[in-house]
Every structure is written in C-alpha cells, then in structure tokens.
Amino acid sequence: MREFYGTRLQTPLMLGTAQYPSPGVMARAFRSSGASVATVSLRREGGAGQDFWALIRDLGVKVLPNTAGCHSVKEAVTTAHMARELFSTPWIKLEVIGQTDTLQPDPFGLVEAARILCDDGFQVFPYMTEDLVLADRLVEAGCRVLMPWGAPIGTGLGLMNRYALRSLRAYFPDIPLVIDAGLGLPSQAAEAMEMGYDAVLLNTAVARAGDPVAMAQAFAMAAEAGRLAHAADPMPARDMAQPSTPVIGKAWLE
C-alpha cells in the first residue's frame, strides 16, 4: 500500500459516515468493511451531538474530515480550520463545489483553497474532476494526494471517463490517487484498483444499500481483489484469439 502523507493504510477502502439508517448500522458497516479511513463532514453533520463524534473516534480508523457543502474558498478554509481543531489532524478532504446539480468542483476555487491550506500546514486531499491540467495545478499548490471522481456524487454511475482516469495514473505515477465519488457497485471499485489507483472512497453505495453491512464487506473484498490483480500484472487485452493450449508438439492427422 502506498503512503498518504507518510501514513500507510492497511486497506484500500475509505468510507463515509453519512446517510446510514442509524449510528449502530454505520459502526457495523465499518467493522465489516475493514475500512482504513472514515470521512466526516462538519457542515452537513455539524448539528450532531457529542455521542456521534465519540462514535466516529471509536471506529478506530484514520479520520479524514471534509469540507462538503462549501461553495467558496472562504467557507472551505474556515471549515478546514474547524476540522483541524475538532479532530486534531492536519488531514482535510477539500471540497469547493462549483455546480449545484452535479456537485462538480470549482477548479479555480479548489486550487486557491488548496494553496492556502497547504501553506498553512494542512495535508490536503482534493476532491476533483478527472482533469489532467487541474491535477497538475493542485500538485503545484502542494497537494500530495489527488482524489478524482469516478462520477458525480451519489449517482452510482461508476467510472465514466476511463481514458482520463488512466491518463491521471500514468501522468502521476508517484502521487497517491483515490477514486472519490460515483461508485455504485463493488465491481466498479475493483476496476478502479485494477487501473492502479491506490484507494477508493464511497458513501452512498454502502449507506443506502438494503444491507449496508453486507455491501460494505462486498466493497472491501472487491477493492482488495482489484489491488491484488493490479499487483499481479494482468495480461493485456488482445484483438485476436490466442489458444491457451500450446500447439508446439501437437500431433497432426493427415
């Protein structure tokens, strides 16, 4: 497993903490998934009581606070500072939303906020589209992790732009890459890991499943299978058939 700002995660699964039927179901889903990271939104869950925050801490995983729901640089930076104070971590998943219907990030605000936070000692995980130029600007701003979406948040559409996602992996071989948002099925998580991505982050696909605990386990197994498959150096796709049984030494009848 690749290191994320010096932290080596035990599993390639990051899981959100919102939308579960109950806190108890969320806790069981985390135990079932073996997730290494829990993401939590201060703006969307800011009204949660101390019992909820204690439950988050008791999950026993790395906490990645995020700035979900922020639509400006000022909102995102302020929320990040609140998160650092509450969770005593320099990690922040940076979201600056630019389009309400698609929840697409604002690339200009994202780069500006990333630069401010990186200069202030934060370790930034930027939620971004699969844009190569945007990725380059974020790395220049100080980000050492990139988190492109597979599809818009909560859609379950999977990996919409495989070409661009592969290009990101090829262009940034030494930067940890995480598919963040849009995954709906475990098979999509496996495909992302087979591409060489270092982790996947999801929430809705597990929290809104009929059985969140079972779905969390399914995603964990799929992500690990994809990771192992990539490490095993898969065979390339071919246009023509190739027999699996060797023809050398085969007896020919006339």
Side-chain angles (χ1 to χ4, degrees), residues 28-45:
R28 292 197 297 275
F30 266 86
R31 288 194 293 270
S32 177
S33 72
S36 292
V37 173
T39 63
V40 61
S41 168
L42 266 69
R43 286 181 65 85
R44 290 180 178 163
E45 300 175 48

Side-chain angles (χ1 to χ4, degrees), residues 12-35:
L13 183 62
M14 302 179 179
L15 200 55
T17 57
Q19 304 187 67
Y20 291 86
S22 71
V25 170
M26 181 194 73
R28 292 197 297 275
F30 266 86
R31 288 194 293 270
S32 177
S33 72

Side-chain angles (χ1 to χ4, degrees), residues 85-187:
E85 182 176 342
L86 179 61
F87 290 104
S88 301
T89 177
W91 279 22
I92 191 71
K93 179 190 167 189
L94 178 61
E95 298 185 27
V96 182
I97 301 302
Q99 214 286 329
T100 303
D101 292 333
T102 64
L103 299 179
Q104 181 171 325
D106 170 3
F108 308 102
L110 185 63
V111 172
E112 182 181 350
R115 183 172 289 111
I116 292 170
L117 292 174
C118 287
D119 288 347
D120 196 27
F122 283 87
Q123 296 172 345
V124 178
F125 294 64
Y127 160 66
M128 53 176 285
T129 59
E130 67 278 29
D131 185 277
L132 191 61
V133 176
L134 173 57
D136 214 20
R137 296 296 182 271
L138 288 167
V139 172
E140 289 176 359
C143 298
R144 295 297 173 261
V145 175
L146 297 173
M147 303 182 76
W149 68 0
I153 294 172
T155 62
L157 292 172
L159 308 180
M160 296 194 308
N161 193 341
R162 290 167 176 79
Y163 169 79
L165 293 173
R166 290 192 181 97
S167 296
L168 279 175
R169 180 69 287 174
Y171 195 83
F172 297 100
D174 300 322
I175 296 288
L177 299 181
V178 182
I179 292 293
D180 174 16
L183 299 182
L185 294 171
S187 57

